[in-house]
Amino acid sequence: MSDDIRVRVLGPVEIAGPQGPVTLRGRGHRTLLARLALRPGQPVASSALIDALWDQAPPTAPKTLRSHVAHMRRDLRAADVLNMIVTRDPGYLLRIPPFSVDVVRFESLARRGHQALSSGDHRAAADQLQAALALWRGDALGDCRQGQWVRQEASRLGDARLDAHEDLIGAELALGRHGEVLGELAGLVVAHPFRERLWEQLMLALYRSGRQAEALATFRRARSTLVEQLGVEPGTRLRSLESAILADEPVQEPPVSLQAVVSVGLPAELTSFVGREEELAKLGGMFAGGRLVTLAGTGGVGKSRLALRCAGQLAASVQGGVRLVELAGLRDRALVPHAVAEALGVRDQSGRSPVDVLVDVLRDRDVLVVLDNCEHLLEACADFVTALLRGCPRLLMLVTSRQPLGVEGEQVLIVPPMPVEHAAMRLFAERARDAVLDFEVTADNVRIVENLCRRLDGIPLAIELATLVLRTLSPSQLLSRLDDRFALLSGARRGVMARHQTIRAAVEWSFELCTPAERLLWSQLSVFAGSFDLEAVEQVCGGDYVLSLVARLVDKSVLSSQTVGGVVRYRLLETLRQFGAEQLLADGFTETLRRRHLAWCQRLASWGEKEWFGPNQAVVFTRIHLDRANLRAALEFGLESDPAAGLRLAGTLWFYWIGCGVFAEGRRWLDALLGLPFRGYERHKALWVNGYVATLQGDTPAAIGMLDECRAQSDDLVAVAYSIYVRGAAAIFTDDLVAGTALFAEANQRLTGLGQLDSNVVMTKVALAMTVAFTGDLPTTVALAQDAHAVAEQHGEQWALAYAHYVLGFAACLQGALGQAVAHAKKCLAIKQTFNDLLGIALSVELLALLAAMVGEAERAAQLLGAVAGIWPHVGVPLFGSRNFAAPHEQCEQLARQALGDRGYELAFAVGSRLSIDDAVALGLA
């Protein structure tokens, strides 16, 4: 076919052949040509073409489509354009060189221009981008049928055009052509008032043209527009530009990110990705039309795999990255925001709603969040997604679920089974070669493979399970056994979709191919949430030959495995876990296994509590964090069925809630369990632990109520002693130093007399030392803190040791030994970062800020104060609301303002406030 053919869709849809323009008969033909042209040389399914032509396809749609194709081929032949529209399963393709289509040329030129701009070659960028934009002759697809596909594609292409326009203006600004672009920018911000980059460029052009006041007025216009119409403040870059203009500082063009695929937060693909081209293409268009897309479909159809591939492809255009949140192992709806916060690395120990925390963090960020497996938490996910999207205008969300969330703005893509003749058979062949190295689809077995895929309804999980059996059965044997299984299951589950029966048949069949011992272990393993190790299997499931059975289940791909920290951890695929849970329930062993699971979690927590006071604190943190999904499942079972065991577990985990920065979740579990009508001895420990958490959050009234209840009703002398210690902490946080001193001394005496020695006992000495420091008795302060330091160091303990360093640093600061104070404060900060202890991080950064101010580093001091101001809301009440704890902060601010002036201080503070927690720690340790 001649290379003289050109197809244009960036404006009215046109096609030109060797003899000139080809007449297209109407909107239907133009739409059909455009749909094919956007994927030149690639097959487009008939169903996708029908979707493009009709929002509600009539029964005659397939016939009408064939008629359109026939008429178009006739018209093309008349214009000497031969064999351009080719029949190719599952539909048709446009046989044409890709660069014969203006969209392909535009996207290539725009991409090269963007890369040139990012690398600093501004002249080349301008040339490439001008050439790209010159291809546009009007609105894309403007004369096509205005259905959903056309609207989505036109929106996507329009955004790409505007992106290229912004890049071109960026290149022009870098070349010094400020005056030439001012008029154009003034019109663009009116036409596109929510594009912050355009506002940035207009401010920059005005400022560089010597019109500073107009640039600042433009910021006020931008802010007013965003706040009044979207309800959001301007983003960080726009605010930073305003600050630079206010300070009359040199400013650069708005930063440009290279369009490289960086799929942050996504697991690597371990097997080839087969098929799903149509679904991937649809997904790209759907995100052009909205910010929430749900992939819905039956279990095992490949929703999660498709979501991960889509997210990987979108990562290039999402500046803030991509994060995957796996919800399959989560059972408690209230933990959805906690799981999301964990996946995004958001650390918050305050009493605020985790949804509010996430909205604060994501409000200005361009991020794609993938929520995987939402069907069992449908209402909770719906409420959560709605709240997050309303508060975060730049956020994109991709959800997988067996049914849609049913919320406003949701776009749903039903993921169908794979077409048998191509994708399903290709998947079978590739996975079969993974199982049997020399397997090939040949003329002898091709029909058998086709029948197998058809019997499995093209469901990927069913196909992958089937290929595992090729190690022991031929394809023909496999087909005969599969036929028997389906005959047995036919009509067995009335009222359930046929595809659900099919996937169930595949899983049941895989289950029956296991030995009785393997089946038993499979069902028992369903009590685990998330991953688990061999020791956990041995303790919860028991029985003979556990190692051998686990190895065989891994070999059969029932279990997946991953090495973490030198230990192999296992996981059941969610579909297989649910099937195993059904078997366990049918056998009547669910409660027994869940009690064993809870008992194992208690042993794990008890081990962690014991080892926490010693050199293995970092190991404890890592291990408990790995099993957090199992601990949640065990706490949930305790809440439902065994309050005593639940309270015992929640109390034992004090070191995790308090020492590892998990205030909010610990408070939630303890509140829920203490709210049950249970009055056993387990309640006593839970009361002082929850009082401890509440105290550190700044919720003193609630803390005092729990601590006083523990002291009044408990005959557990150890619990009473700890409650006295925590009550002392509540006293000094409210600046009652006399009461605090007495309570700490009493707690230390009681605990020592009872033979207790752990991190909290050391902390009674540290807390008493801090209280004495506030009274001005520095020699006693140092002696007490050194005593605590010595005990902690002797046992290899780090968490309480860090607080001893903090008190020693505070005392050294008051004594004027500033170098020594800095060394102690940095040691505290480094240790606290290891455990995600935000309270310890905040306190040590506060101290380092004061020390910086005292040695004349006023700008660094102000930046540190700005950084810590962003940390305190994630802990609770800043500096506990205490005058004594706040005094060094106020001294630091006063010194910094005196050195920098109010304007200089505010600018430095603003710089610090934009730092992440990790960046704040790095600044403190610098």
Side-chain angles (χ1 to χ4, degrees):
M1 190 179 66
S2 172
D3 289 338
D4 295 333
I5 297 172
R6 291 287 183 268
V7 177
R8 303 200 292 179
V9 301
L10 300 178
V13 176
E14 299 175 355
I15 180 171
Q19 298 178 7
V22 178
T23 301
L24 296 171
R25 298 191 180 197
R27 289 180 179 268
H29 284 198
R30 289 192 291 271
T31 305
L32 180 57
L33 176 63
R35 184 66 182 86
L36 292 168
L38 287 180
R39 294 186 61 200
Q42 300 180 50
V44 180
S46 296
S47 60
L49 295 171
I50 289 171
D51 287 343
L53 289 167
W54 297 279
D55 282 349
Q56 298 292 329
T60 59
K63 181 178 179 180
T64 305
L65 173 63
R66 291 192 294 270
S67 176
H68 279 321
V69 171
H71 283 104
M72 288 183 68
R73 283 170 170 166
R74 189 178 306 125
D75 294 338
L76 290 167
R77 282 196 301 269
D80 200 22
V81 179
L82 306 177
N83 300 321
M84 192 178 83
I85 301 178
V86 179
T87 301
R88 182 69 52 83
D89 283 344
Y92 304 89
L93 65 78
L94 198 66
R95 196 171 65 178
I96 186 173
F99 277 86
S100 297
V101 182
D102 60 355
V103 167
V104 176
R105 297 201 305 280
F106 163 74
E107 291 177 339
S108 175
L109 287 165
R111 183 168 54 253
R112 284 153 56 190
H114 185 90
Q115 292 170 345
L117 182 62
S118 301
S119 62
D121 191 349
H122 302 122
R123 190 168 300 281
D127 292 341
Q128 297 283 355
L129 292 161
Q130 285 170 351
L133 291 168
L135 294 168
W136 285 76
R137 299 164 294 109
D139 293 335
L141 310 175
D143 58 348
C144 293
R145 286 183 175 174
Q146 293 302 301
Q148 182 181 15
W149 177 81
V150 168
R151 290 191 297 271
Q152 290 174 347
E153 278 301 304
S155 175
R156 181 183 70 83
L157 293 169
D159 284 345
R161 181 186 190 182
L162 191 53
D163 289 341
H165 207 157
E166 288 179 345
D167 280 349
L168 176 58
I169 292 172
E172 299 282 3
L173 288 171
L175 293 170
R177 300 168 185 165
H178 318 304
E180 291 89 333
V181 298
L182 268 174
E184 184 179 21
L185 279 167
L188 284 171
V189 296
V190 173
H192 307 283
F194 306 133
R195 302 273 297 203
E196 289 196 30
R197 190 180 176 198
L198 290 173
W199 288 107
E200 292 173 52
Q201 290 175 331
L202 179 56
M203 288 172 63
L204 182 60
L206 288 166
Y207 181 55
R208 293 229 177 128
S209 299
R211 298 157 68 175
Q212 182 183 25
E214 291 178 62
L216 292 171
T218 297
F219 174 82
R220 292 193 292 273
R221 281 175 54 207
R223 182 182 181 278
S224 176
T225 299
L226 295 170
V227 170
E228 291 177 8
Q229 299 193 40
L230 292 182
V232 297
E233 289 287 340
T236 302
R237 292 196 315 221
L238 202 58
R239 296 196 305 269
S240 299
L241 180 57
E242 185 222 13
S243 298
I245 293 173
L246 277 170
D248 202 18
E249 297 173 350
V251 292
Q252 303 299 320
E253 287 70 34
V256 180
S257 61
L258 279 171
Q259 291 180 332
V261 177
V262 183
S263 303
V264 182
L266 298 180
E269 293 184 342
L270 301 180
T271 57
S272 59
F273 184 88
V274 178
R276 300 302 190 193
E277 293 84 2
E278 283 296 323
E279 289 80 6
L280 283 169
K282 285 184 179 179
L283 280 170
M286 292 172 82
F287 272 112
R291 296 189 293 123
L292 170 62
V293 176
T294 296
L295 297 178
T298 187
V301 80
K303 301 183 293 295
S304 298
R305 188 70 187 273
L306 177 59
L308 292 177
R309 172 54 68 100
C310 174
Q313 292 184 352
L314 289 173
S317 59
V318 182
Q319 294 180 357
V322 180
R323 290 292 185 275
L324 171 65
V325 185
E326 297 176 308
L327 299 178
L330 206 64
R331 293 171 181 164
D332 188 335
R333 55 173 290 149
L335 293 178
V336 170
H338 290 280
V340 176
E342 183 176 285
L344 269 68
V346 175
R347 291 174 282 171
D348 188 275
Q349 299 171 11
S350 71
R352 293 186 299 159
S353 159
V355 176
D356 292 340
V357 173
L358 285 167
V359 168
D360 284 347
V361 171
L362 297 174
R363 180 175 284 115
D364 293 329
R365 293 182 62 185
D366 179 16
V367 177
L368 170 62
V369 174
V370 182
L371 285 185
D372 193 27
N373 288 306
C374 295
E375 54 271 359
H376 60 303
L377 299 165
L378 203 64
E379 292 182 5
C381 289
D383 294 341
F384 172 75
V385 166
T386 298
L388 217 56
L389 289 173
R390 284 178 177 169
C392 307
R394 297 173 179 83
L395 179 67
L396 302 178
M397 299 198 77
L398 179 57
V399 170
T400 73
S401 177
R402 295 191 183 183
Q403 69 181 92
L405 299 181
V407 300
E408 183 180 357
E410 181 185 33
Q411 299 179 87
V412 179
L413 177 63
I414 303 298
V415 182
M418 287 182 161
V420 171
E421 292 80 2
H422 295 282
M425 292 179 66
R426 180 180 158 204
L427 177 67
F428 186 97
E430 293 198 18
R431 296 299 184 265
R433 279 192 291 273
D434 291 340
V436 180
L437 189 61
D438 59 352
F439 179 86
E440 293 290 343
V441 177
T442 65
D444 293 331
N445 66 16
V446 64
R447 292 300 159 218
I448 295 173
V449 171
E450 180 182 351
N451 286 336
L452 275 168
C453 292
R454 197 179 307 282
R455 287 288 192 175
L456 294 169
D457 273 0
I459 295 178
L461 177 59
I463 292 169
E464 293 183 350
L465 290 171
T467 58
L468 299 177
V469 189
L470 293 177
R471 297 168 184 163
T472 53
L473 297 176
S474 69
S476 59
Q477 289 175 308
L478 190 148
L479 180 60
S480 66
R481 290 171 179 263
L482 187 61
D483 287 341
D484 291 341
R485 290 301 185 274
F486 286 152
L488 288 172
L489 290 168
S490 177
R493 301 177 70 215
R494 299 186 183 277
V496 178
M497 291 174 58
R499 288 174 187 161
H500 287 185
Q501 294 187 28
T502 301
I503 190 65
R504 183 175 182 81
V507 177
E508 285 183 341
W509 165 59
S510 181
F511 188 74
E512 290 184 17
L513 287 173
C514 293
T515 66
E518 291 168 353
R519 293 178 204 167
L520 176 61
L521 184 59
W522 178 345
S523 62
Q524 290 175 330
L525 293 174
S526 67
V527 299
F528 288 101
S531 65
F532 47 90
D533 61 15
L534 182 62
E535 180 185 359
V537 179
E538 290 171 336
Q539 293 190 32
V540 175
C541 303
D544 298 326
Y545 312 111
V546 169
L547 175 59
S548 174
L549 290 170
V550 167
R552 279 146 57 181
L553 290 178
V554 170
D555 187 53
K556 292 182 177 181
S557 296
V558 173
L559 283 177
S560 62
S561 62
Q562 182 182 16
T563 301
V564 181
V567 176
V568 177
R569 294 183 68 85
Y570 307 97
R571 182 188 297 268
L572 270 174
L573 294 175
E574 179 58 17
T575 301
L576 304 185
R577 191 198 65 78
Q578 290 180 5
F579 180 83
E582 289 182 11
Q583 305 308 306
L584 198 64
L585 183 64
D587 293 339
F589 294 132
T590 298
E591 183 166 346
T592 299
L593 263 294
R594 291 197 72 182
R595 288 192 181 280
R596 287 188 198 171
H597 178 262
L598 190 152
W600 165 71
C601 286
Q602 179 62 51
R603 289 193 293 273
L604 177 65
S606 297
W607 166 84
E609 183 181 38
K610 178 182 177 183
E611 292 295 315
W612 184 253
F613 187 66
N616 292 326
Q617 280 183 328
V619 175
V620 171
F621 168 71
T622 300
R623 175 60 193 277
I624 296 296
H625 194 63
L626 284 172
D627 275 304
R628 61 196 181 279
N630 283 307
L631 292 168
R632 288 167 176 164
L635 287 165
E636 183 181 358
F637 179 71
L639 192 60
E640 295 170 353
S641 305
D642 194 339
L647 280 164
R648 185 163 56 252
L649 177 58
T652 305
L653 285 168
W654 68 265
F655 64 92
Y656 184 56
W657 312 135
I658 296 164
C660 303
V662 197
F663 288 5
E665 185 174 343
R667 180 76 183 276
R668 182 197 165 276
W669 286 115
L670 287 159
D671 278 348
L673 287 158
L674 287 168
L676 298 175
F678 177 79
R679 291 293 181 267
Y681 74 91
E682 293 87 356
R683 182 178 177 84
H684 305 153
K685 184 172 185 177
L687 281 167
W688 74 256
V689 170
N690 204 23
Y692 201 165
V693 175
T695 299
L696 296 176
Q697 287 181 317
D699 189 1
T700 306
I704 291 174
M706 288 183 278
L707 297 169
D708 287 350
E709 180 187 344
C710 181
R711 294 174 67 186
Q713 298 183 10
S714 176
D715 55 1
D716 182 341
L717 298 180
V718 173
V720 169
Y722 281 118
S723 69
I724 293 172
Y725 154 61
V726 179
R727 188 67 177 81
I732 66 162
F733 291 164
T734 55
D735 298 311
D736 189 346
L737 301 184
V738 174
T741 301
L743 288 164
F744 287 142
E746 181 184 355
N748 184 266
Q749 182 181 17
R750 283 177 177 249
L751 289 167
T752 302
L754 291 167
Q756 295 291 305
L757 183 57
D758 61 15
S759 298
N760 284 323
V761 175
V762 177
M763 284 299 296
T764 63
K765 301 176 186 294
V766 173
L768 182 57
M770 193 68 199
T771 307
V772 172
F774 288 144
T775 69
D777 185 355
L778 297 182
T780 303
T781 297
V782 172
L784 288 167
Q786 286 178 341
D787 183 23
H789 184 285
V791 174
E793 197 170 49
Q794 178 186 353
H795 291 84
E797 202 276 355
Q798 293 290 304
W799 178 75
L801 177 73
Y803 282 118
H805 277 298
Y806 169 76
V807 177
L808 289 168
F810 184 79
C813 175
L814 295 181
Q815 291 171 326
L818 301 186
Q820 185 180 352
V822 169
H824 281 300
K826 286 186 175 181
K827 285 179 181 178
C828 175
L829 180 57
I831 293 171
K832 290 306 181 183
Q833 186 184 32
T834 302
F835 300 112
N836 288 334
D837 185 349
L838 296 188
L839 174 58
I841 289 173
L843 287 172
S844 48
V845 171
E846 288 274 3
L847 180 54
L848 286 165
L850 173 59
L851 292 165
M854 294 176 75
V855 298
E857 297 178 1
E859 184 175 2
R860 182 168 179 269
Q863 290 177 357
L864 286 169
L865 287 183
V868 79
I871 298 175
W872 277 114
H874 299 285
V875 178
V877 177
L879 292 159
F880 317 109
S882 161
R883 293 190 306 274
N884 287 303
F885 278 96
H889 177 100
E890 292 168 359
Q891 181 186 358
C892 177
E893 181 177 343
Q894 182 180 7
L895 289 171
R897 284 187 183 275
Q898 288 174 351
L900 300 172
D902 288 344
R903 181 61 185 158
Y905 173 83
E906 295 296 342
L907 286 173
F909 185 93
V911 170
S913 68
R914 292 191 286 269
L915 296 177
S916 67
I917 293 174
D918 289 337
D919 288 339
V921 171
L923 178 62
L925 294 175

